[in-house]
Amino acid sequence: MARQARAGAAGERARRTRQARIALAVVFCAHGAVTGSFATRVPWIQEHTGIGAGELGLALAFPALGSLLAMPLAGRVAHRLGARTALRVLLAAWTLSLALPSLAPNLGALCAALFVYGASSGMSDVVMNGIGVATEDRAGRSIMSGLHGMWSAGALIGSASGALAANLGADARVQHELAAAVLTATGLAACHWVLDVRSAPEAEAPPRFALPPRSALLIGLVGFCAVFGEGASLDWSAVYLRDVLGASAGPAAASTTAFTLTMAVTRIAGDRLVDRFGPVRTVRAGGACATAGGLLVVLAPVPALAMAGFALLGVGVAVVVPLAFAAAGRSGPHPNQAIAGVATITYTSGLVAPSVIGGVAHASSLQASFALVTVFAAGLLAGAGVLRPGGRGAGGPGGPAAPAGEGRAAGTRGAGS
């Protein structure tokens, strides 16, 4: 009887963990859909506000500014409210903020709306990745890559719906208000089933605002290398094929599509690779693939080979950021603070990469710019070791706190309770 009871309890635990993983995948998808929905209607927003290209560039810096300033606060919010409640509040703020930019009548209002948009994005991103780490520990296998793959899928869905609305001539205000309502309802419903990760009672609250902890710095640098290649490829791949190799508009645009699709597919399939080979070997293999892709881009004499190089870059960098967040969540007593630190470092890379590529290209050439991307890709080979679990498995030190209601003892983790 006792054995049957234990088996029944284990089966129920596995069922609830699977349910929580699926719910969190829906959250990631909804988060990505907001980004895709917004990006496709930027031309409409520019026309509606009557601003020029330079003013639009200024406005588009405010999401990054809001995100970078707000992400360090996410750990404090999650500690005070509990991760599930914090996710409900912050995810709803993010999905509802989709409606704000298209309502802005002028540049000042647009900058303010985009600051709120970026702040809510960054904070919800930190909390949902923290829950992802706890869910991964509970599941006993890798899930972070697949979660980020669902984010990419959501971004594709959002961008497709935005493109359809634009082609139909729909008012972006109406589209974004409808999308915000649907995504908010979807996200709040999914949040009901995610793990309610809470800090241990004796745990000290993280500071309201802090620089990235030391444990996050090296992990963040690995993420920096990957996101640099990602940002450079997304923004410059089509330009590279057009200006360096003389490709027409169709093949040039297809290079960006090749990069995006290979990255999304690799993320969705990446968990199996991580479970089989471990995070260090997986990232080293990705670094080798990305380095080979970068070299192929730089040396390609024809557009087809450069497109293959960008596809390889997408494969190579795909799983690095999910694994960096997972490693950060296990690197210290405050998982959300560490994840916020890694996110701050990696997302800074995404901000600076396009401008660095342009600066190097102006001073030298686009081939030299992507030679720099290749150097950063090789950095994944050198730095992959910092993602080693280091014995911080279930019940080990420094991991995320246990979900509420799971018989947690003081100082233990969810996966070990």
Side-chain angles (χ1 to χ4, degrees), residues 334 379 396:
H334 298 299

Side-chain angles (χ1 to χ4, degrees), residues 16-31 83-85 87-88 91-92 95 128 131 135 147 150 182-196:
R16 291 172 63 183
T17 301
R18 183 170 59 254
Q19 186 179 64
R21 176 175 57 81
I22 294 171
L24 192 57
V26 173
V27 168
F28 270 77
C29 187
H31 195 285
R84 181 190 291 165
T85 300
L87 183 61
R88 282 190 180 119
L91 183 66
T95 52
M128 70 190 198
I131 296 175
T135 307
L147 290 176
M150 288 300 296
V182 171
L183 293 173
T184 300
T186 301
L188 288 176
C191 285
H192 177 74
W193 305 105
V194 303
L195 295 184
D196 191 13

